[in-house]
Amino acid sequence: MKISRIAQLGAVAAVAALTLAGCAANEGTTGGDASEAPESMLAGEIAGGGASSQEVAVNAWVAGFQTANPDVTITYDPAGSGAGRESFQAGAFPFAGSDRAFEVEEIEAGPFDGCVEGTGIIELPTYISPIAVIFHIEGVDALNLSPEVIAGLFAGTITNWNDPAIAALNEGVELPDLAVTPVHRADDSGTTENFTDYLFQAAGDVWTYEPDGVWPGTPVAGEAAQGTSGVVSAVAGGNGTIGYADASRAAEEGLATAAVQVGDEFVEYSPEAAAAIVDASPFAEGREEGDLAIELDRTSTEAGVYPIVLVSYMIACQEYVDTEAAPIVKGFLEYLASAEGQDAAAAAAGNAPISDTLRDQVNAAIELIVAE
């Protein structure tokens, strides 16, 4: 029997709270309200990178953290999840953002050059956001789409916007005789892996490809674009285009988005609907302490749940070869996991703040970082 993540977290909340209480005075970090924090002793520069989906949120986190820690400089390269994981594993980045956790096999194979040999990594689900199905069809502002239709549009089995399968879901909408141009990520992307995981789970009869961060090749049709920004630009600049992107970026550009069929209703994306499916999903099995990978259930039919969601992770070492980077990484992670940090990201990016229960678990994982 699978136990929901919230039930699992409830069992450890008291322990985590005690652990954090003992560490509340950790010097030079800003885990609470930055305006009330003592004068920071942190100084130095670190550079991270990875998921472009997190870019807006990371910018907000960096701004807030650097305000409280004026002698710290943090940069983030939104080159994509795959690039972020590779750079972190090679020791080029002391932290990475990724729209998927490392696979257990990847962790076991190692090595992680920036981490002290024999120590583990932590993976923190600190960014939760719906993935919007975005489209641009002149004269059409809204569509209802089922999992099977979405899969068909991206698999190339539905090639025209006036297809009867689309029309049946959108009574009263004048659909044009217009070719479908699906747009997908060209880079190795956690957003792609989350999106294809949804297609595979919810419409496996149509989308027969295993979930992957790399888009399938021929015969899957479509136009490739680099990064979230590239997909958004390609969809916005065409007519008859459809793509997928972190919802915050879709909102920024004012793109039309589809309501997705869940059971008998069509659900529009929202932070609340994204958070609902995460709270109901269990942790992945076979993980070490501090590795908080979540196994999302894309087939839920609960009311108000939006199933196309990404949980983006911050990844760090438990013990660093570069001991000077460790306290900065730890402090930054404490800030972004705090209520203040989560609210700052939500205001900037429109993502769903993590729950208080999940925050307890995240903070307990951050305490595993050796930063003396």
Side-chain angles (χ1 to χ4, degrees):
M1 178 182 67
K2 284 186 176 180
I3 303 173
S4 76
R5 183 180 56 73
I6 289 301
Q8 289 174 295
L9 289 174
V12 300
V15 175
L18 289 173
T19 300
L20 294 173
C23 302
N26 192 20
E27 183 179 17
T29 60
T30 57
D33 185 342
S35 64
E36 298 176 358
E39 183 178 352
S40 173
M41 301 297 291
L42 292 177
E45 299 181 9
I46 59 171
S52 58
S53 61
Q54 290 195 52
E55 181 180 6
V56 176
V58 172
N59 288 343
W61 289 329
V62 168
F65 185 69
Q66 290 183 163
T67 297
N69 300 272
D71 294 325
V72 171
T73 299
I74 298 175
T75 56
Y76 183 83
D77 179 11
S81 293
R85 291 193 305 274
E86 290 174 5
S87 295
F88 173 76
Q89 192 162 6
F93 290 158
F95 74 92
S98 176
D99 293 341
R100 75 161 173 86
F102 277 103
E103 302 290 349
V104 172
E105 295 78 10
E106 293 173 329
I107 296 172
E108 291 174 346
F112 291 86
D113 293 340
C115 306
V116 172
E117 187 175 356
T119 65
I121 64 171
I122 64 171
E123 302 194 270
L124 311 175
T126 49
Y127 181 84
I128 300 169
S129 180
I131 298 172
V133 178
I134 57 178
F135 67 90
H136 185 208
I137 305 169
E138 292 180 5
V140 179
D141 297 325
L143 285 174
N144 294 328
L145 298 177
S146 67
E148 294 77 15
V149 167
I150 296 171
L153 288 165
F154 283 93
T157 58
I158 296 177
T159 59
N160 197 292
W161 282 108
N162 65 3
D163 189 283
I166 303 174
L169 302 173
N170 294 277
E171 185 176 354
V173 177
E174 187 174 343
L175 296 167
D177 181 5
L178 178 67
V180 174
T181 302
V183 181
H184 61 264
R185 291 280 288 268
D187 51 317
D188 184 348
S189 160
T191 306
T192 296
E193 183 149 354
N194 278 275
F195 184 65
T196 57
D197 183 50
Y198 163 74
L199 296 178
F200 188 74
Q201 284 195 39
D205 290 343
V206 181
W207 186 268
T208 58
Y209 307 92
E210 292 281 347
D212 201 307
V214 178
W215 192 258
T218 305
V220 180
E223 176 183 336
Q226 185 71 26
T228 301
S229 297
V231 171
V232 168
S233 295
V235 172
N239 185 27
T241 47
I242 185 169
Y244 56 93
D246 184 82
S248 65
R249 300 303 300 277
E252 280 182 357
E253 298 297 328
L255 284 167
T257 59
V260 175
Q261 188 172 23
V262 178
D264 295 327
E265 64 176 336
F266 291 93
V267 181
E268 296 181 354
Y269 78 80
S270 70
E272 295 76 16
I277 197 167
V278 172
D279 283 347
S281 297
F283 282 122
E285 297 180 354
R287 299 281 173 161
E288 299 295 329
E289 183 182 12
D291 188 348
L292 307 182
I294 294 173
E295 187 176 311
L296 289 167
D297 177 11
R298 312 283 189 180
T299 61
S300 174
T301 57
E302 292 186 19
V305 165
Y306 186 84
I308 316 178
V309 63
L310 67 82
V311 177
S312 202
Y313 297 82
M314 279 292 175
I315 305 172
C317 298
Q318 290 190 19
E319 188 168 355
Y320 282 90
V321 173
D322 180 1
T323 57
E324 293 183 0
I328 299 175
V329 173
K330 187 173 185 178
F332 180 54
L333 295 178
E334 287 176 340
Y335 172 73
L336 68 85
S338 71
E340 179 190 3
Q342 288 289 301
D343 288 346
N351 57 296
I354 61 175
S355 66
D356 290 340
T357 311
L358 179 54
R359 180 177 295 107
D360 287 341
Q361 187 76 348
V362 166
N363 281 330
I366 295 170
E367 284 303 317
L368 297 173
I369 298 175
V370 176
E372 297 178 355

